[in-house]
Amino acid sequence: MVSFAGILKRNLTSKEVESILDLIPEPAILWDSKQDEFTAFNPPAIELTGYTRKDLNSVTFLEIFPTLKNALPITDTLETNTILMKHNVPQFPVKIKLTVIGSSSQWVLITLKAEKEIYQREAQQSILGQRWEALHVLSLASLQKELDASLEQALRAGQLLTGCSFLSIYLPTKKTDGELRLVKKWGQANFLPEVIKQNEISHLRIPFIWQPGTRTTSIFHQKALAAQLKYLATSPVDQTAPFEGILVIGDQISPPPEELVQMLQVLSGVMVTSIDYHREISQAKNKVSKLSSRLGITQVLKDQIADGLIFTDSHHTIIDVNEPATLSLMYSKEEMISKSIEQIMVCDSDIREILTTISNESAELHEIGEIKIHRRDGQQLLANVRVIPLAPDGSRAANAILLSDLSVREEYRARAKQLESQAIVGELMAIFAHEVRNPINNIRMGLEVLSSNYSKQDPVQDEIERLVTDIDRLEDLMKSILSVSRTREYRMRPVNVLGLIEGLMYRWRPRMTRYNVVPDIKTTNSNLMIKGDKRSLEQVFTNIIQNGINAMKSKGGKLSIRVASQPKARTISVDIADTGPGIPAEIIDHIFEPFFSTNQDGTGLGLAITKQIVNVHNGQITVNSVPGGTVFRVTLPTEENLEINLEN
């Protein structure tokens, strides 16, 4: 460690002191505790803190390290953990060491060590949790009774999803002719215009992200430039009808997230669904009000509404239904008429009690919520149930029950969760590969230079060769990561699965002999053709075979492969079984997750890549394991049954 006690007695300039700090490898700052000024700092400190030299000269100690307030004044050496702040925003945890220089406590040397892994993990968990919450809030937005509340909830979810400072939505109103008016906003967006003229809307027909330095093509971009925003994004609420609404979001501090366009599409989709849903409800109410006295309310609703519709009398007996209701519940109209409502709508809730409660209330829409109804085939139907009390001719109230099938929405929600998880994993993989590959190349170049300085007979060459071998392992790991995070081109050709398996087993035979593993291949047919990418499929079966051999290499065993055709399902199944110790029950659900491995030398990517390739081929991979054996089953569609799934 450089001694500053004598140095600071001299009248050195800050540049001279900084040149001395440069001798310290870790981030280092010299602090004048009496003046509360940072007087000198080395380049690692600038890089770690994220402050410019000018910023560090103008901030105080507690502005950067507020949690150390109780530790002041510093009279001796202090080592502790704290949080590094920047512009009053927590950055990441650091280990800090403060050393008083000399006999006086004026000068303090501060050295820092960032716990970046903790920061990155906590930041990623925070973003992931925030996005899950946003998706949950979004899924419920369209079910709000009023459009105003639905849009407000969607904007609030949009802020959680994107992390932006503000969101606004412009919609046409009765008071505007061909213009869009600001109807709802979230956050500080007072600088935005209240009205968008018709000629401005033509510039906003597609999603667009404006950032400083980008050309300003609309009034929004001019406002964003004046407000010094980091970005401003616009998107039509309905991609096919830009004059029906515009979504605007932006931020004053952070740049746009990489997935912002996809996030805008999700937000816009929810908003257009909410708008259409409430528009249909409003139209339905208006039609009921206008036509009930002249045409009969039952016939009007049956002809106009696409949801399932069931009419009951005052005794809750079904008197009429429309076709969507019969299709949803899988009864014919004749089977439903004259039945009590609880005989047809079999569910956990007491539907008769619900109808009795609201029958004598005002003739307005009552949201019952999501209910699982047992259909005639025994399967459950998730439906959003709404009830409108009816009182024709002043008689006792009857009811119109509306059933909205939510199965499509549930599939969309599940798919959204899957895509979110895949996006997060892909982002992590890309960051990891980007950060690690350059240092790997630098190390390899350094080893090559070092090797050239020694003769080929020098014992040091053996050590260099071992290091190069480790570098090769790291490069293989990077290739595996990139194969997971990047979409590759698959060349689909006819492939004989049996021939592919036999070729792989021939290659692995020497290793199986060395480990006393006995191979056994059985098949029901020699012509087992699929259409697939041969190299990728070789990787699938190589990963599984290698895992099986590794599981048995200590005691030997039997590796059995059975290739069979499933004509009815138009698939080919490949079962690969080993007689190893088996996979523990507590980890079997995680073996296809990226970076999960029980082998200290493994990357944890083999089975993740395997599953990805099988998914691309529209196949399935499953695993069953007990103490004493494990069976992997890969099911692939036959050549005529294949539709390539490049989204997985």
Side-chain angles (χ1 to χ4, degrees):
M1 173 66 70
V2 178
S3 175
F4 285 83
I7 293 175
L8 293 176
K9 292 180 180 179
R10 300 170 54 196
N11 188 19
L12 299 179
T13 65
S14 61
K15 293 292 184 182
E16 292 174 321
V17 176
E18 286 179 356
S19 66
I20 297 173
L21 287 180
D22 288 346
L23 300 175
I24 302 175
E26 63 266 23
I29 304 173
L30 188 62
W31 176 46
D32 184 344
S33 64
K34 290 187 177 180
Q35 300 296 326
D36 194 9
E37 293 180 351
F38 297 107
T39 60
F41 21 81
N42 63 5
I46 297 294
E47 181 180 357
L48 174 64
T49 63
Y51 284 90
T52 64
R53 294 178 180 273
K54 182 179 179 181
D55 289 338
L56 280 172
N57 281 323
S58 61
V59 296
T60 65
F61 179 88
L62 291 180
E63 286 178 339
I64 302 183
F65 308 111
T67 61
L68 298 181
K69 180 178 180 181
N70 295 332
L72 299 180
I74 304 298
T75 59
D76 201 348
T77 299
L78 172 66
E79 291 188 54
T80 186
N81 295 327
T82 185
I83 299 296
L84 178 69
M85 305 289 287
K86 184 177 180 183
H87 303 304
N88 295 324
V89 177
Q91 294 298 294
F92 47 81
V94 296
K95 290 184 178 180
I96 185 171
K97 181 178 180 180
L98 301 100
T99 306
V100 174
I101 301 172
S103 57
S104 112
S105 60
Q106 177 179 359
W107 298 101
V108 179
L109 177 64
I110 301 173
T111 56
L112 302 168
K113 182 179 180 182
E115 299 184 8
K116 291 186 178 180
E117 293 182 358
I118 297 175
Y119 162 68
Q120 292 174 350
R121 182 170 61 252
E122 291 179 347
Q124 191 63 43
Q125 289 176 346
S126 175
I127 292 173
L128 179 60
Q130 186 169 298
R131 288 181 176 177
W132 280 124
E133 182 181 357
L135 290 174
H136 175 68
V137 175
L138 268 178
S139 68
L140 301 176
S142 61
L143 299 181
Q144 296 296 318
K145 288 187 176 182
E146 301 296 333
L147 177 60
D148 187 75
S150 180
L151 293 177
E152 182 171 343
Q153 184 162 325
L155 292 179
R156 180 164 63 92
Q159 192 279 327
L160 291 173
L161 184 66
T162 64
C164 64
S165 300
F166 66 86
L167 301 94
S168 301
I169 183 170
Y170 291 77
L171 296 175
T173 64
K174 294 180 180 179
K175 298 180 180 180
T176 57
D177 183 17
E179 300 174 343
L180 299 179
R181 181 170 295 275
L182 178 62
V183 297
K184 183 63 63 175
K185 63 183 179 180
W186 184 273
Q188 298 298 322
N190 296 329
F191 60 91
L192 293 178
E194 290 293 325
V195 176
I196 309 177
K197 301 294 184 181
Q198 190 171 14
N199 61 337
E200 282 285 337
I201 302 174
S202 61
H203 299 294
L204 307 170
R205 294 183 176 181
I206 61 174
F208 183 79
I209 303 174
W210 175 90
Q211 292 181 268
T214 306
R215 180 183 175 187
T216 57
T217 59
S218 76
I219 188 173
F220 287 113
H221 305 154
Q222 298 169 8
K223 296 287 186 180
L225 183 63
Q228 297 182 339
L229 300 184
K230 290 295 184 181
Y231 76 90
L232 183 141
T234 57
S235 175
V237 173
D238 186 347
Q239 301 290 333
T240 62
F243 288 89
E244 292 301 313
I246 299 294
L247 175 64
V248 183
I249 78 170
D251 197 272
Q252 292 93 349
I253 299 176
S254 302
E258 293 183 359
E259 312 89 352
L260 183 58
V261 172
Q262 292 83 353
M263 294 176 179
L264 287 175
Q265 292 173 344
V266 172
L267 281 173
S268 300
V270 172
M271 288 182 176
V272 75
T273 299
S274 297
I275 293 170
D276 291 342
Y277 168 76
H278 288 89
R279 181 183 296 162
E280 289 182 7
I281 292 299
S282 177
Q283 291 174 353
K285 287 183 179 180
N286 291 336
K287 288 178 181 179
V288 168
S289 175
K290 292 178 181 180
L291 301 176
S292 60
S293 61
R294 294 177 296 166
L295 303 176
I297 188 170
T298 57
Q299 191 60 44
V300 172
L301 288 176
K302 284 176 59 179
D303 293 342
Q304 297 296 323
I305 198 165
D307 288 338
L309 185 58
I310 302 175
F311 292 97
T312 63
D313 62 14
S314 58
H315 301 289
H316 309 313
T317 299
I318 298 174
I319 57 176
D320 202 0
V321 296
N322 67 352
E323 185 178 359
T326 63
L327 295 175
S328 295
L329 298 176
M330 301 188 72
Y331 289 93
S332 66
K333 181 176 180 180
E334 291 72 20
E335 291 173 326
M336 296 177 69
I337 299 298
S338 301
K339 297 290 194 307
S340 62
I341 188 63
E342 64 266 27
Q343 288 180 280
I344 301 300
M345 288 186 62
V346 180
C347 51
D348 296 334
S349 303
D350 189 340
I351 189 65
R352 174 178 284 272
E353 182 178 351
I354 293 173
L355 296 178
T356 301
T357 302
I358 65 176
S359 286
N360 295 316
E361 297 184 10
S362 59
E364 62 180 16
L365 185 71
H366 292 264
E367 285 281 356
I368 306 304
E370 297 181 6
I371 294 179
K372 292 182 178 179
I373 304 171
H374 294 277
R375 303 189 304 183
R376 184 178 183 178
D377 63 352
Q379 299 295 321
Q380 284 190 338
L381 168 70
L382 180 62
N384 184 50
V385 179
R386 291 159 285 166
V387 177
I388 303 176
L390 308 173
D393 303 325
S395 62
R396 291 182 60 190
N399 294 290
I401 304 171
L402 291 87
L403 305 177
S404 298
D405 188 346
L406 299 181
S407 57
V408 175
R409 193 199 73 181
E410 289 301 304
E411 292 176 2
Y412 172 81
R413 182 188 300 176
R415 180 61 176 164
K417 290 181 179 179
Q418 182 184 9
L419 291 176
E420 179 71 5
S421 299
Q422 292 177 352
I424 292 170
V425 171
E427 182 181 357
L428 288 173
M429 290 179 178
I431 292 172
F432 181 79
H434 176 75
E435 294 296 331
V436 174
R437 293 186 79 186
N438 288 337
I440 288 176
N441 291 333
N442 293 337
I443 294 171
R444 176 182 284 279
M445 292 174 61
L447 289 173
E448 291 175 355
V449 172
L450 183 62
S451 176
S452 66
N453 293 329
Y454 294 92
S455 67
K456 293 184 178 180
Q457 292 76 27
D458 196 301
V460 174
Q461 295 287 3
D462 293 335
E463 295 297 329
I464 294 175
E465 184 177 356
R466 279 193 286 271
L467 292 174
V468 170
T469 301
D470 288 339
I471 292 299
D472 291 338
R473 281 194 71 244
L474 288 176
E475 286 186 338
D476 289 340
L477 174 61
M478 292 306 100
K479 292 177 182 177
S480 296
I481 290 175
L482 291 176
S483 70
V484 173
S485 60
R486 295 178 181 173
T487 301
R488 60 162 292 178
E489 181 180 353
Y490 290 88
R491 298 183 179 181
M492 314 310 288
R493 300 286 188 274
V495 177
N496 187 315
V497 177
L498 180 60
L500 187 148
I501 294 292
E502 290 176 339
L504 290 176
M505 292 295 284
Y506 180 79
R507 297 181 208 169
W508 284 94
R509 191 173 297 275
R511 180 175 293 187
M512 287 190 285
T513 301
R514 186 164 63 252
Y515 294 142
N516 294 321
V517 174
V518 179
D520 180 33
I521 302 178
K522 294 181 180 179
T523 181
T524 59
N525 191 334
S526 60
N527 185 22
L528 298 166
M529 300 296 295
I530 66 167
K531 191 173 184 180
D533 184 273
K534 186 174 181 180
R535 286 183 56 196
S536 299
L537 293 174
E538 283 182 347
Q539 187 174 4
V540 167
F541 296 117
T542 295
N543 288 339
I544 300 174
I545 292 171
Q546 182 178 11
N547 286 345
I549 294 173
N550 289 339
M552 297 182 288
K553 66 181 181 180
S554 60
K555 297 182 179 180
K558 185 177 182 181
L559 185 70
S560 302
I561 300 180
R562 182 178 182 271
V563 186
S565 174
Q566 312 292 337
K568 291 185 178 180
R570 293 193 295 174
T571 60
I572 291 174
S573 62
V574 180
D575 294 333
I576 303 176
D578 64 68
T579 57
I583 303 173
E586 61 270 17
I587 69 171
I588 196 167
D589 292 335
H590 304 285
I591 63 173
F592 293 108
E593 296 176 1
F595 304 111
F596 180 86
S597 176
T598 58
N599 184 353
Q600 62 180 0
D601 296 324
T603 65
L605 290 174
L607 288 178
I609 296 172
T610 296
K611 185 171 184 179
Q612 182 188 50
I613 295 172
V614 173
N615 288 343
V616 167
H617 287 75
N618 270 2
Q620 291 183 335
I621 181 170
T622 58
V623 59
N624 289 297
S625 185
V626 296
T630 300
V631 180
F632 281 88
R633 166 167 286 191
V634 177
T635 304
L636 298 167
T638 54
E639 183 175 353
E640 68 275 7
N641 191 32
L642 182 68
E643 294 180 2
I644 302 305
N645 180 10
L646 292 180
E647 294 183 358
N648 290 319

